[in-house]
Amino acid sequence: MNPFVHSTVARHLPLAPWRRARPAAMPACPRAGQRALRQVLGALLLSAGLGVAAPPAQAVDINQATAAQLEGLRGIGPRTADIIVRERERGG
């Protein structure tokens, strides 16, 4: 197929042999009502502020932070915070 002569966009086939036709009485999605309810509930929770789980972020100056402040950072435990403070005091 030449893309300059023929369209490269797939056309909708009326009925492919490997697809079964959906009966007219069957809804498109049986859980459409549940999905709509979840979306509405999610929007209400977000507007009420319940979707926010983390406290607001605050900047920490690591050159002058105490060991307790350093422990509040992700990935830094009490031992690492203590090492950072001792090295800072030793080396300046």
Side-chain angles (χ1 to χ4, degrees):
M1 177 170 56
N2 187 347
F4 296 105
V5 178
H6 300 94
S7 174
T8 56
V9 178
R11 286 179 247 143
H12 176 69
L13 299 175
L15 183 62
W18 58 88
R19 296 178 80 191
R20 284 187 280 168
R22 183 179 294 160
M26 180 186 239
C29 181
R31 297 184 182 183
Q34 291 177 353
R35 186 180 312 153
L37 182 62
R38 279 189 195 161
Q39 288 177 348
V40 169
L41 184 60
L44 288 173
L45 288 174
L46 283 176
S47 65
L50 299 177
V52 180
Q58 295 178 351
V60 175
D61 183 12
I62 59 171
N63 294 322
Q64 298 184 5
T66 64
Q69 290 173 331
L70 289 172
E71 286 179 31
L73 299 175
R74 184 180 357 178
I76 298 181
R79 183 173 178 210
T80 307
D82 187 45
I83 291 171
I84 291 171
V85 170
R86 279 191 283 137
E87 283 296 314
R88 190 174 55 207
E89 290 171 355
R90 184 188 68 80

